[in-house]
Amino acid sequence: MMYKKKKVTLFIQCLVDTLYPEVAEAMVSVLEDLGLELDCPTEQTCCGQPAFNAGHQSEARSAAKKFIELFEDAEVIVSPSGSCVNMVKNHYPDLFSADSSMLERARAVAAKTFEFTEFLVDILKVENLDARFPAKVTYHDSCHLNHCLGIHLQPRKLLANIRELEFIEMKDSDKCCGFGGTFAVKYADISSAMLEEKVQNIVDSGATVVTGCDMSCLMNIQGMLSRTKAQVKVMHIAQLLSAK
Amino acid sequence: MELTTKAYKQTAKKAIADPILQSALAGLQSRLGPATASLYENLPEGPDLRAKAHAYRRKAVDNLDIMLVTLAGKIRENGGEVHFAATAKDAVDICLDIAEKNNVKHVVKGKSMVTEEIGLNRALMDKGIEVNETDLGEYIIQLAGEKPSHIVAPAVHKTRKEVGELFTEKLGTPYTDDPPTLTRDARQALRKKFMAADMGISGCNLACAETGHITTVSNEGNIRMATTLPRVHVAFMGMERIAANLEEHQAILRLMSMGAAAQQIGGYVSYIGGPAAVDHADGPQAFHLVIVDNGRSRILADEEFREMLCCIRCGACLNVCPVYGKIGGHSYGSAYTGPVGAVVTPLLGGINEASHLCQGESLCGACRVACPLNLNLPRMLLALRAKLSEGDPRWNVKPKSRPEKMLFQVWSRINQNRKVYDILLKLGRLIQKIMPSSNHMIRRLPWPFSGWTQSRDMKPLAGKTFMELWKEHQGGRS
Ligand code: SF4
């Protein structure tokens, strides 16, 4: 295993840090069980994605600068959130295209940042974590993870190896859940219509748990599942992988 | 049509509430999206063809001046006339002038988006000229007095029943909702129009500089008739629709057919190079090509958006866009709908004026995967949003939404300092206690987040952040 001896630095999405700390704890327990040494810069806040997506590039740039300063000494950076990894990997370099020294630093950080399931499957070459989770589970492909990072098979491989887990593919699993950051608030009607379709597909699948690799989308989905009192639980993939 | 945020939201809301439209959109997307994707996977040349085609388009756009001069020279050699129109008005005036000189009373048209963009039909009708769209979908919406709602399926929002009633009312045919019968009724009505017309108008799907021809594609053969039966043929092309040579032209055309309708190639493909002549009897007596700029030079001049001129308006992005799939084409309020419209309409019509289009998208990236040319529409949407945030005199953009900008400025300050961030989180935990909640979820958030709780509950802040837990975890261990 290539990174076995390297120290893994945790990049925790702000939503996970403040709303779903149990997700980060689950990821920590998976990584520790693999014998990895972990590190976490506790000064980290938001990577700047909401500002960037809303067009506020100078605000996003200051968030990016802080992130780069905090993480540039890391050996490898791992995050439980696809859209934040996409931000660092694909948009940080864009933000500094006019500043060659920052650009170089942004590229260096981007090159060593990985999404959690990508890190497990593609880098560590681990697909079976000896987890057990007896439930019917369906998976939502988050857009940035799937369309921008091409991470689609990795989570499915990991789920396939969880004992007693029955995997059910929902209809249009790769269709957007309608979150889109401020889009969900500014264009609430359109966003809600998209989410309704997603929630319907989840319920129709017959699964009792919906999982994914990005708490942003899962928070959005959970919001409507809760409002409509649907009997489906929302769990991050790390929580399933750490279950014994 | 109105181009405002309010109109966008209202039309979108109406579209979402219309079950017939919703099922039409869902049907269209589930049919075409996956079919197109599977064609891309099985390209005989391999998946590289899409990247190559992107490069061909890029080369044509980068050398547009030379390409257009070559095309124009060849067409003139063949006896055709070429006109360059800087603005929509110029383009319309050129056409009106040709109509007047040729004493034109009746026009038949093949589907063309650029004439929709410049508002040609209205101008011709105002001069007392009868204009008939001849593409079945376009004909239907023209009879209904509506606008196209999809780039290649303009009448997708209409049901068979509605079309049947429309035909009975406007054509006097007995009511039916049987598609073959409806098509026959339309064909009979249109035959008379074709025979009577003295001018045919078409768009141009792609021109070829090397050979000096323009190409039109349809599935009904109507464009072929509109361009050959009348005395005069006037073709309109956006100035970017050109390929350098036949080989590149052929690759792009095939990808266009795949993107548009999941076909290997459109049903009727015509190569048109000029009017009829002694050695080739087919064709009209006069052929005019109007090459339209109408804001495209400005796009060409900006490296950030030049990529948009590579677009071939195939509509593949519409067939996968989850926003288009809910709100339908009319909500975009312009000739160009869906993700392509969200980028092109602001660029052509004003970024401030169409700010809702670039902001009313979820940035999911499905359009990028579906585009036969791999155009990065999300990147351009982000670039447009950046202009709206900070303003840009080159594009006459005034900063939009000062309050939002200020909110993000404050956010940025807080985000820089974990101590302040933590204090505010503590405050948040106190405030959330007084918010209406049930079952451990918040039921209602205050402005500016109230849109969220319109249809969803909100997870409250956790008692401790992960960073706090981490510090404890580290403390316990050492
Ligand atoms: S952006 Fe791509 S998919 Fe959309 S119309 Fe243009 S070429 Fe077709």
Side-chain angles (χ1 to χ4, degrees):
Chain A
M1 273 180 230
M2 196 176 153
Y3 281 96
K4 191 93 198 188
K5 285 188 205 71
K6 287 201 183 177
K7 198 187 237 181
V8 172
T9 301
L10 304 174
F11 160 24
I12 305 299
Q13 182 192 22
C14 54
L15 290 180
V16 169
D17 179 31
T18 58
L19 301 175
Y20 301 93
E22 63 278 10
V23 168
E25 291 192 298
M27 181 171 91
V28 164
S29 109
V30 171
L31 296 175
E32 282 186 341
D33 281 356
L34 288 167
L36 295 159
E37 195 190 333
L38 305 183
D39 175 29
C40 180
T42 53
E43 295 295 302
Q44 63 181 293
T45 48
C46 170
C47 68
Q49 191 187 180
F52 181 74
N53 284 350
H56 308 297
Q57 299 212 347
S58 40
E59 288 73 22
R61 205 170 285 122
S62 54
K65 190 152 178 285
K66 176 183 173 184
F67 184 94
I68 292 168
E69 281 160 5
L70 275 176
F71 283 86
E72 65 190 337
D73 292 334
E75 290 168 50
V76 57
I77 303 163
V78 176
S79 172
S81 159
S83 58
C84 309
V85 170
N86 181 52
M87 177 74 197
V88 172
K89 265 195 170 339
N90 293 323
H91 297 315
Y92 276 13
D94 289 347
L95 280 172
F96 296 109
S97 56
D99 176 344
S100 60
S101 76
M102 273 311 291
L103 178 62
E104 210 171 291
R105 290 166 71 190
R107 284 194 180 139
V109 166
K112 57 188 175 186
T113 302
F114 300 93
E115 187 275 327
F116 175 55
T117 63
E118 174 190 30
F119 181 65
L120 291 176
V121 175
D122 297 349
I123 307 298
L124 295 183
K125 314 275 182 222
V126 176
E127 290 180 15
N128 191 339
L129 289 148
D130 201 27
R132 188 186 83 95
F133 192 81
K136 291 182 178 170
V137 177
T138 192
Y139 175 80
H140 164 66
D141 281 284
S142 291
C143 299
H144 290 178
L145 199 76
N146 183 25
H147 294 145
C148 306
L149 298 171
I151 301 173
H152 166 78
L153 290 174
Q154 294 90 329
R156 286 179 172 78
K157 284 184 182 163
L158 292 163
L159 290 170
N161 284 312
I162 299 180
R163 280 180 286 125
E164 292 168 50
L165 181 147
E166 186 191 332
F167 182 71
I168 310 173
E169 194 74 65
M170 71 168 104
K171 181 172 173 253
D172 293 336
S173 55
D174 60 350
K175 208 161 174 184
C176 180
C177 72
F179 180 36
T182 52
F183 169 76
V185 172
K186 284 194 224 165
Y187 296 90
D189 288 324
I190 304 173
S191 167
S192 295
M194 290 159 73
L195 178 56
E196 249 166 58
E197 183 182 327
K198 175 60 61 182
V199 163
Q200 193 59 49
N201 288 338
I202 293 171
V203 171
D204 289 349
S205 77
T208 53
V209 173
V210 54
T211 191
C213 305
D214 198 325
M215 277 328 284
S216 331
C217 322
L218 291 176
M219 173 180 78
N220 186 40
I221 291 168
Q222 182 187 36
M224 190 174 276
L225 284 169
S226 159
R227 179 62 59 92
T228 57
K229 303 201 166 54
Q231 297 304 311
V232 183
K233 253 179 99 171
V234 167
M235 290 175 84
H236 188 275
I237 195 165
Q239 294 172 292
L240 302 182
L241 293 171
S242 66
K244 296 281 156 178
Chain B
M1 249 178 262
E2 237 186 321
L3 260 186
T4 64
T5 309
K6 212 171 133 212
Y8 176 67
K9 287 188 178 176
Q10 275 169 358
T11 334
K13 202 169 172 169
K14 258 208 245 142
I16 291 166
D18 177 350
I20 294 171
L21 176 65
Q22 289 300 313
S23 91
L25 292 170
L28 177 91
Q29 291 200 329
S30 65
R31 220 172 47 243
L32 289 176
T36 300
S38 93
L39 282 180
Y40 292 161
E41 273 166 32
N42 300 309
L43 284 167
E45 297 91 334
D48 278 1
L49 184 69
R50 292 168 70 195
K52 262 198 218 145
H54 182 120
Y56 296 159
R57 288 293 295 135
R58 187 61 209 223
K59 184 178 71 180
V61 167
D62 286 344
N63 299 290
L64 204 50
D65 45 357
I66 304 166
M67 300 271 169
L68 288 174
V69 167
T70 313
L71 173 75
K74 293 260 163 68
I75 288 186
R76 284 176 184 136
E77 266 170 42
N78 290 335
E81 282 188 49
V82 181
H83 314 257
F84 287 88
T87 63
K89 186 174 178 302
D90 292 351
V92 168
D93 288 347
I94 290 166
C95 189
L96 291 177
D97 191 44
I98 300 170
E100 200 185 305
K101 285 197 180 120
N102 289 281
N103 196 20
V104 168
K105 297 276 176 286
H106 302 277
V107 167
V108 281
K109 284 182 69 201
K111 196 159 86 67
S112 149
M113 244 175 303
V114 70
T115 60
E116 187 72 31
E117 173 190 322
I118 61 177
L120 184 66
N121 286 11
R122 186 74 271 151
L124 287 167
M125 289 189 285
D126 286 349
K127 291 274 178 217
I129 298 170
E130 183 187 315
V131 182
N132 284 288
E133 292 289 348
T134 61
D135 170 272
L136 181 57
E138 292 274 327
Y139 183 57
I140 291 168
I141 54 170
Q142 189 188 24
L143 286 180
E146 293 178 11
K147 293 265 177 190
S149 79
H150 184 278
I151 289 178
V152 294
V156 64
H157 58 285
K158 288 227 156 306
T159 61
R160 279 190 282 165
K161 189 166 156 282
E162 285 172 320
V163 175
E165 284 161 1
L166 185 71
F167 279 14
T168 307
E169 186 196 327
K170 303 276 173 170
L171 305 179
T173 51
Y175 174 82
T176 171
D177 59 10
D178 170 48
T181 315
L182 287 170
T183 311
R184 201 196 55 216
D185 290 347
R187 184 173 292 147
Q188 275 167 358
L190 283 170
R191 276 299 144 108
K192 296 194 193 103
K193 308 291 181 194
F194 279 125
M195 299 314 289
D198 28 37
M199 180 192 262
I201 294 178
S202 77
C204 155
N205 288 93
L206 195 64
C208 176
E210 181 189 40
T211 57
H213 78 266
I214 66 156
T215 305
T216 63
V217 184
S218 80
N219 276 309
E220 299 163 15
N222 62 307
I223 302 185
R224 189 165 289 178
M225 291 211 275
T227 55
T228 47
L229 284 174
R231 285 183 278 127
V232 185
H233 171 203
V234 184
F236 285 81
M237 70 178 258
M239 70 179 204
E240 77 284 8
R241 297 289 204 100
I242 192 163
N245 55 46
L246 259 189
E247 190 192 334
E248 298 179 7
H249 177 278
Q250 173 261 13
I252 296 161
L253 206 66
R254 277 174 52 222
L255 284 169
M256 182 191 296
S257 301
M258 290 181 202
Q263 292 171 317
Q264 295 289 354
I265 195 79
Y268 294 83
V269 180
S270 305
Y271 288 20
I272 301 165
V278 193
D279 54 349
H280 54 99
D282 286 344
Q285 291 162 21
F287 170 69
H288 296 264
L289 176 63
V290 185
I291 300 175
V292 181
D293 183 327
N294 198 29
R296 286 163 176 79
S297 307
R298 185 153 76 162
I299 302 176
L300 184 67
D302 190 330
E303 190 46 50
E304 232 175 345
F305 297 113
R306 185 177 276 200
E307 189 184 3
M308 202 57 222
L309 291 184
C310 299
C311 169
I312 47 177
R313 310 280 193 265
C314 68
C317 50
L318 275 65
N319 301 331
V320 297
C321 173
V323 172
Y324 177 86
K326 291 293 167 210
I327 69 176
H330 287 156
S331 307
Y332 293 80
S334 87
Y336 307 108
T337 60
V340 42
V343 178
V344 137
T345 303
L347 290 175
L348 292 177
I351 299 175
N352 279 107
E353 288 73 13
S355 64
H356 53 288
L357 294 186
C358 40
Q359 293 183 326
E361 299 279 335
S362 73
L363 292 177
C364 77
C367 51
R368 187 180 175 189
V369 180
C371 174
L373 304 173
N374 304 325
L375 299 187
N376 196 341
L377 295 172
R379 180 190 66 73
M380 289 183 270
L381 285 172
L382 284 163
L384 286 168
R385 292 181 185 188
K387 297 221 178 305
L388 284 163
S389 164
E390 265 145 47
D392 184 341
R394 271 190 315 162
W395 282 90
N396 301 326
V397 185
K398 288 191 257 347
K400 207 206 161 208
S401 188
R402 295 258 183 214
E404 180 183 307
K405 179 82 177 166
M406 271 154 62
L407 224 68
F408 272 101
Q409 279 166 342
V410 174
W411 166 89
S412 172
R413 287 284 182 80
I414 301 165
N415 202 47
Q416 292 299 311
N417 188 329
R418 183 77 207 197
K419 282 198 187 69
V420 179
Y421 188 88
D422 281 331
I423 292 168
L424 284 164
L425 281 174
K426 288 207 176 86
L427 196 69
R429 284 184 204 128
L430 286 176
I431 296 173
Q432 73 184 11
K433 288 212 175 91
I434 56 166
M435 276 183 219
S437 67
S438 74
N439 217 0
H440 309 295
M441 295 288 276
I442 300 169
R443 308 266 319 169
R444 214 164 43 244
L445 287 170
W447 184 90
F449 309 107
S450 43
W452 180 270
T453 40
Q454 177 182 315
S455 61
R456 346 164 163 75
D457 296 338
M458 179 71 202
K459 176 83 162 56
L461 292 164
K464 276 183 187 167
T465 63
F466 173 74
M467 297 306 147
E468 289 173 297
L469 293 169
W470 174 264
K471 284 185 207 155
E472 289 170 16
H473 169 92
Q474 291 304 88
R477 205 190 278 168
S478 55

